[in-house]
Tab-separated table of all heavy atoms in Angstrom:
chain	number	residue	atom	x	y	z
A	1	LEU	N	87.811	-171.061	102.307
A	1	LEU	CA	88.947	-171.236	101.428
A	1	LEU	C	88.764	-172.447	100.538
A	1	LEU	O	88.329	-173.500	101.032
A	1	LEU	CB	90.211	-171.492	102.301
A	1	LEU	CG	90.753	-170.355	103.157
A	1	LEU	CD1	92.021	-170.843	103.883
A	1	LEU	CD2	91.079	-169.142	102.308
A	2	LEU	N	89.056	-172.308	99.268
A	2	LEU	CA	89.073	-173.421	98.379
A	2	LEU	C	90.433	-173.419	97.703
A	2	LEU	O	90.837	-172.472	97.071
A	2	LEU	CB	87.970	-173.251	97.297
A	2	LEU	CG	86.544	-173.153	97.855
A	2	LEU	CD1	85.605	-172.856	96.709
A	2	LEU	CD2	86.161	-174.435	98.513
A	3	VAL	N	91.164	-174.523	97.859
A	3	VAL	CA	92.523	-174.605	97.332
A	3	VAL	C	92.550	-175.570	96.182
A	3	VAL	O	92.048	-176.700	96.274
A	3	VAL	CB	93.510	-175.075	98.435
A	3	VAL	CG1	94.927	-175.101	97.864
A	3	VAL	CG2	93.420	-174.125	99.587
A	4	GLY	N	93.129	-175.140	95.018
A	4	GLY	CA	93.170	-176.019	93.890
A	4	GLY	C	94.481	-175.920	93.163
A	4	GLY	O	95.097	-174.859	93.118
A	5	ALA	N	94.988	-176.996	92.595
A	5	ALA	CA	96.233	-177.002	91.850
A	5	ALA	C	95.982	-177.121	90.356
A	5	ALA	O	95.092	-177.772	89.897
A	5	ALA	CB	97.070	-178.211	92.323
A	6	GLY	N	96.825	-176.488	89.584
A	6	GLY	CA	96.731	-176.554	88.148
A	6	GLY	C	95.410	-176.059	87.622
A	6	GLY	O	94.883	-176.570	86.661
A	7	LEU	N	94.895	-174.989	88.266
A	7	LEU	CA	93.539	-174.582	87.995
A	7	LEU	C	93.361	-174.143	86.546
A	7	LEU	O	92.237	-174.135	86.000
A	7	LEU	CB	93.106	-173.451	88.907
A	7	LEU	CG	93.792	-172.069	88.611
A	7	LEU	CD1	92.956	-170.998	89.317
A	7	LEU	CD2	95.183	-172.055	89.205
A	8	LEU	N	94.379	-173.686	85.925
A	8	LEU	CA	94.271	-173.186	84.552
A	8	LEU	C	94.701	-174.116	83.488
A	8	LEU	O	94.461	-173.893	82.308
A	8	LEU	CB	95.090	-171.869	84.433
A	8	LEU	CG	94.715	-170.810	85.440
A	8	LEU	CD1	95.700	-169.627	85.319
A	8	LEU	CD2	93.314	-170.336	85.307
A	9	ALA	N	95.374	-175.198	83.877
A	9	ALA	CA	95.971	-176.085	82.920
A	9	ALA	C	94.964	-176.777	81.992
A	9	ALA	O	95.210	-176.861	80.766
A	9	ALA	CB	96.847	-177.127	83.614
A	10	ARG	N	93.884	-177.197	82.559
A	10	ARG	CA	92.902	-177.930	81.747
A	10	ARG	C	92.276	-177.074	80.649
A	10	ARG	O	91.986	-177.501	79.577
A	10	ARG	CB	91.812	-178.549	82.642
A	10	ARG	CG	92.278	-179.708	83.488
A	10	ARG	CD	91.109	-180.359	84.210
A	10	ARG	NE	91.545	-181.508	84.948
A	10	ARG	CZ	90.728	-182.236	85.730
A	10	ARG	NH1	89.435	-181.887	85.802
A	10	ARG	NH2	91.148	-183.253	86.404
A	11	SER	N	92.011	-175.789	81.037
A	11	SER	CA	91.450	-174.937	80.033
A	11	SER	C	92.432	-174.551	78.959
A	11	SER	O	92.053	-173.953	77.945
A	11	SER	CB	91.000	-173.577	80.750
A	11	SER	OG	89.982	-173.906	81.671
A	12	TYR	N	93.716	-174.861	79.142
A	12	TYR	CA	94.771	-174.491	78.174
A	12	TYR	C	95.463	-175.700	77.631
A	12	TYR	O	96.687	-175.770	77.600
A	12	TYR	CB	95.697	-173.507	78.789
A	12	TYR	CG	95.153	-172.131	78.763
A	12	TYR	CD1	94.458	-171.627	79.858
A	12	TYR	CD2	95.346	-171.289	77.653
A	12	TYR	CE1	93.940	-170.338	79.814
A	12	TYR	CE2	94.789	-170.029	77.607
A	12	TYR	CZ	94.123	-169.575	78.687
A	12	TYR	OH	93.584	-168.336	78.691
A	13	ALA	N	94.698	-176.631	77.136
A	13	ALA	CA	95.286	-177.855	76.575
A	13	ALA	C	96.078	-177.524	75.282
A	13	ALA	O	96.956	-178.274	74.871
A	13	ALA	CB	94.210	-178.885	76.231
A	14	THR	N	95.753	-176.410	74.651
A	14	THR	CA	96.421	-176.065	73.390
A	14	THR	C	97.480	-174.974	73.555
A	14	THR	O	97.859	-174.280	72.663
A	14	THR	CB	95.372	-175.516	72.405
A	14	THR	OG1	94.754	-174.369	72.946
A	14	THR	CG2	94.312	-176.572	72.085
A	15	LEU	N	97.991	-174.815	74.829
A	15	LEU	CA	98.918	-173.770	75.095
A	15	LEU	C	100.232	-173.906	74.362
A	15	LEU	O	101.009	-172.956	74.318
A	15	LEU	CB	99.177	-173.702	76.603
A	15	LEU	CG	98.173	-172.902	77.393
A	15	LEU	CD1	98.543	-172.791	78.817
A	15	LEU	CD2	98.047	-171.484	76.808
A	16	SER	N	100.532	-175.091	73.789
A	16	SER	CA	101.771	-175.224	73.024
A	16	SER	C	101.763	-174.270	71.829
A	16	SER	O	102.826	-173.953	71.288
A	16	SER	CB	101.962	-176.674	72.581
A	16	SER	OG	100.852	-177.050	71.769
A	17	ARG	N	100.572	-173.860	71.406
A	17	ARG	CA	100.474	-172.993	70.197
A	17	ARG	C	100.168	-171.575	70.594
A	17	ARG	O	100.334	-170.653	69.782
A	17	ARG	CB	99.367	-173.495	69.319
A	17	ARG	CG	99.571	-174.902	68.796
A	17	ARG	CD	98.560	-175.212	67.688
A	17	ARG	NE	97.165	-174.991	68.044
A	17	ARG	CZ	96.414	-175.947	68.660
A	17	ARG	NH1	96.919	-177.154	68.937
A	17	ARG	NH2	95.165	-175.665	68.947
A	18	VAL	N	99.692	-171.320	71.823
A	18	VAL	CA	99.258	-169.930	72.186
A	18	VAL	C	99.856	-169.521	73.498
A	18	VAL	O	99.874	-170.303	74.477
A	18	VAL	CB	97.671	-169.881	72.317
A	18	VAL	CG1	97.257	-168.491	72.696
A	18	VAL	CG2	97.036	-170.283	70.987
A	19	ASP	N	100.429	-168.330	73.566
A	19	ASP	CA	100.923	-167.773	74.830
A	19	ASP	C	99.734	-167.037	75.493
A	19	ASP	O	99.287	-165.959	75.030
A	19	ASP	CB	102.073	-166.803	74.566
A	19	ASP	CG	102.602	-166.210	75.824
A	19	ASP	OD1	102.197	-166.586	76.918
A	19	ASP	OD2	103.425	-165.239	75.748
A	20	PRO	N	99.322	-167.491	76.687
A	20	PRO	CA	98.174	-166.826	77.301
A	20	PRO	C	98.564	-165.531	78.029
A	20	PRO	O	97.703	-164.761	78.400
A	20	PRO	CB	97.719	-167.865	78.372
A	20	PRO	CG	98.998	-168.550	78.732
A	20	PRO	CD	99.798	-168.668	77.495
A	21	GLY	N	99.833	-165.305	78.236
A	21	GLY	CA	100.304	-164.079	78.881
A	21	GLY	C	100.449	-164.235	80.374
A	21	GLY	O	100.764	-163.252	81.073
A	22	PHE	N	100.185	-165.433	80.916
A	22	PHE	CA	100.344	-165.664	82.342
A	22	PHE	C	100.773	-167.094	82.570
A	22	PHE	O	100.748	-167.930	81.670
A	22	PHE	CB	99.065	-165.338	83.074
A	22	PHE	CG	97.895	-166.180	82.619
A	22	PHE	CD1	97.542	-167.368	83.213
A	22	PHE	CD2	97.033	-165.719	81.589
A	22	PHE	CE1	96.469	-168.136	82.781
A	22	PHE	CE2	96.010	-166.451	81.141
A	22	PHE	CZ	95.675	-167.650	81.746
A	23	ARG	N	101.082	-167.396	83.789
A	23	ARG	CA	101.491	-168.745	84.155
A	23	ARG	C	100.273	-169.655	84.184
A	23	ARG	O	99.417	-169.583	85.010
A	23	ARG	CB	102.157	-168.754	85.534
A	23	ARG	CG	102.732	-170.131	85.942
A	23	ARG	CD	103.359	-170.010	87.366
A	23	ARG	NE	104.587	-169.189	87.381
A	23	ARG	CZ	104.646	-168.001	87.986
A	23	ARG	NH1	103.583	-167.486	88.599
A	23	ARG	NH2	105.748	-167.297	87.939
A	24	ALA	N	100.193	-170.572	83.203
A	24	ALA	CA	98.956	-171.381	83.023
A	24	ALA	C	98.879	-172.552	83.863
A	24	ALA	O	97.775	-173.138	84.062
A	24	ALA	CB	98.809	-171.750	81.551
A	25	ALA	N	99.949	-173.030	84.441
A	25	ALA	CA	99.891	-174.262	85.273
A	25	ALA	C	100.678	-173.962	86.570
A	25	ALA	O	101.664	-173.316	86.561
A	25	ALA	CB	100.463	-175.430	84.513
A	26	GLY	N	100.144	-174.508	87.641
A	26	GLY	CA	100.888	-174.399	88.871
A	26	GLY	C	100.254	-173.508	89.955
A	26	GLY	O	100.412	-173.843	91.124
A	27	PRO	N	99.617	-172.358	89.603
A	27	PRO	CA	99.115	-171.516	90.709
A	27	PRO	C	98.059	-172.251	91.539
A	27	PRO	O	97.327	-173.053	91.045
A	27	PRO	CB	98.516	-170.337	89.945
A	27	PRO	CG	99.154	-170.330	88.611
A	27	PRO	CD	99.430	-171.785	88.321
A	28	VAL	N	98.063	-171.890	92.802
A	28	VAL	CA	97.076	-172.403	93.773
A	28	VAL	C	96.141	-171.197	94.039
A	28	VAL	O	96.634	-170.102	94.211
A	28	VAL	CB	97.717	-172.899	95.022
A	28	VAL	CG1	96.658	-173.303	96.054
A	28	VAL	CG2	98.566	-174.140	94.749
A	29	VAL	N	94.821	-171.455	94.112
A	29	VAL	CA	93.906	-170.378	94.356
A	29	VAL	C	93.195	-170.581	95.684
A	29	VAL	O	92.703	-171.695	95.986
A	29	VAL	CB	92.847	-170.256	93.245
A	29	VAL	CG1	91.696	-169.308	93.610
A	29	VAL	CG2	93.516	-169.784	91.963
A	30	VAL	N	93.074	-169.540	96.499
A	30	VAL	CA	92.300	-169.554	97.740
A	30	VAL	C	91.158	-168.569	97.515
A	30	VAL	O	91.336	-167.364	97.220
A	30	VAL	CB	93.130	-169.137	98.873
A	30	VAL	CG1	92.279	-169.098	100.175
A	30	VAL	CG2	94.330	-170.103	99.138
A	31	SER	N	89.933	-169.052	97.623
A	31	SER	CA	88.776	-168.215	97.388
A	31	SER	C	88.212	-167.753	98.768
A	31	SER	O	87.874	-168.604	99.573
A	31	SER	CB	87.674	-168.983	96.644
A	31	SER	OG	86.515	-168.167	96.503
A	32	VAL	N	88.153	-166.442	98.948
A	32	VAL	CA	87.663	-165.891	100.212
A	32	VAL	C	86.344	-165.134	99.917
A	32	VAL	O	86.364	-164.180	99.152
A	32	VAL	CB	88.693	-164.910	100.823
A	32	VAL	CG1	88.222	-164.412	102.160
A	32	VAL	CG2	90.041	-165.601	100.941
A	33	ARG	N	85.277	-165.595	100.492
A	33	ARG	CA	83.967	-165.008	100.196
A	33	ARG	C	83.384	-164.372	101.460
A	33	ARG	O	83.358	-164.933	102.516
A	33	ARG	CB	82.988	-166.073	99.669
A	33	ARG	CG	83.414	-166.668	98.334
A	33	ARG	CD	82.353	-167.579	97.814
A	33	ARG	NE	82.672	-168.119	96.514
A	33	ARG	CZ	83.349	-169.233	96.271
A	33	ARG	NH1	83.673	-169.979	97.323
A	33	ARG	NH2	83.632	-169.617	95.054
A	34	PHE	N	82.894	-163.141	101.258
A	34	PHE	CA	82.325	-162.371	102.344
A	34	PHE	C	80.833	-161.966	101.963
A	34	PHE	O	80.504	-161.895	100.763
A	34	PHE	CB	83.065	-161.063	102.581
A	34	PHE	CG	84.422	-161.209	103.143
A	34	PHE	CD1	85.529	-161.025	102.302
A	34	PHE	CD2	84.623	-161.484	104.468
A	34	PHE	CE1	86.781	-161.153	102.816
A	34	PHE	CE2	85.909	-161.582	104.984
A	34	PHE	CZ	86.989	-161.408	104.157
A	35	PRO	N	79.981	-161.685	102.956
A	35	PRO	CA	78.761	-160.999	102.663
A	35	PRO	C	79.156	-159.606	102.083
A	35	PRO	O	80.200	-159.068	102.355
A	35	PRO	CB	78.092	-160.837	104.024
A	35	PRO	CG	78.784	-161.791	104.892
A	35	PRO	CD	80.179	-161.922	104.406
A	36	TRP	N	78.302	-159.033	101.266
A	36	TRP	CA	78.564	-157.750	100.648
A	36	TRP	C	78.648	-156.655	101.747
A	36	TRP	O	77.797	-156.646	102.655
A	36	TRP	CB	77.499	-157.366	99.642
A	36	TRP	CG	77.845	-156.138	98.892
A	36	TRP	CD1	77.421	-154.861	99.128
A	36	TRP	CD2	78.758	-156.070	97.841
A	36	TRP	NE1	78.015	-153.977	98.267
A	36	TRP	CE2	78.869	-154.704	97.450
A	36	TRP	CE3	79.574	-156.975	97.144
A	36	TRP	CZ2	79.656	-154.260	96.388
A	36	TRP	CZ3	80.406	-156.553	96.090
A	36	TRP	CH2	80.434	-155.187	95.779
A	37	ALA	N	79.684	-155.855	101.711
A	37	ALA	CA	79.853	-154.810	102.710
A	37	ALA	C	78.856	-153.681	102.470
A	37	ALA	O	78.783	-153.089	101.427
A	37	ALA	CB	81.286	-154.244	102.652
A	38	GLU	N	78.031	-153.428	103.492
A	38	GLU	CA	76.989	-152.397	103.360
A	38	GLU	C	77.461	-151.064	103.750
A	38	GLU	O	76.796	-150.029	103.505
A	38	GLU	CB	75.804	-152.811	104.215
A	38	GLU	CG	75.151	-154.127	103.776
A	38	GLU	CD	74.443	-154.051	102.449
A	38	GLU	OE1	74.197	-152.904	101.989
A	38	GLU	OE2	74.194	-155.086	101.833
A	39	ASP	N	78.571	-150.930	104.446
A	39	ASP	CA	79.062	-149.644	104.887
A	39	ASP	C	80.631	-149.628	104.924
A	39	ASP	O	81.244	-150.670	104.750
A	39	ASP	CB	78.494	-149.281	106.283
A	39	ASP	CG	78.732	-150.407	107.291
A	39	ASP	OD1	79.894	-150.807	107.456
A	39	ASP	OD2	77.741	-150.889	107.905
A	40	THR	N	81.169	-148.457	105.158
A	40	THR	CA	82.615	-148.274	105.137
A	40	THR	C	83.279	-149.132	106.227
A	40	THR	O	84.333	-149.730	106.017
A	40	THR	CB	82.989	-146.815	105.294
A	40	THR	OG1	82.445	-146.040	104.262
A	40	THR	CG2	84.475	-146.632	105.280
A	41	ALA	N	82.695	-149.131	107.449
A	41	ALA	CA	83.301	-149.889	108.542
A	41	ALA	C	83.391	-151.356	108.194
A	41	ALA	O	84.412	-152.039	108.458
A	41	ALA	CB	82.492	-149.688	109.830
A	42	SER	N	82.309	-151.918	107.591
A	42	SER	CA	82.332	-153.300	107.199
A	42	SER	C	83.373	-153.608	106.146
A	42	SER	O	84.112	-154.604	106.146
A	42	SER	CB	80.976	-153.792	106.715
A	42	SER	OG	79.970	-153.677	107.691
A	43	ALA	N	83.504	-152.669	105.185
A	43	ALA	CA	84.482	-152.822	104.095
A	43	ALA	C	85.900	-152.826	104.690
A	43	ALA	O	86.714	-153.619	104.279
A	43	ALA	CB	84.333	-151.724	103.087
A	44	LEU	N	86.152	-151.917	105.639
A	44	LEU	CA	87.484	-151.876	106.235
A	44	LEU	C	87.837	-153.153	106.972
A	44	LEU	O	88.962	-153.656	106.964
A	44	LEU	CB	87.646	-150.648	107.158
A	44	LEU	CG	87.614	-149.289	106.411
A	44	LEU	CD1	87.600	-148.165	107.480
A	44	LEU	CD2	88.761	-149.124	105.493
């Protein structure tokens, strides 16, 4: 898990002029990484 705040805000310093279509500041992201599933049972 990797947790981060304001992950999109820095990339959108000019958002006062442009609507990105999503919430640009505030979301927290959790990254979940797995080995690639080689079969259906692993994927499930």
Side-chain angles (χ1 to χ4, degrees):
L1 292 181
L2 301 175
V3 181
L7 72 161
L8 304 175
R10 286 187 179 178
S11 297
Y12 278 93
T14 61
L15 276 182
S16 59
R17 302 192 304 272
V18 178
D19 178 9
F22 60 91
R23 185 181 293 112
V28 173
V29 170
V30 177
S31 177
V32 184
R33 295 186 177 92
F34 292 104
W36 188 260
E38 298 292 343
D39 51 55
T40 301
S42 297
L44 292 175

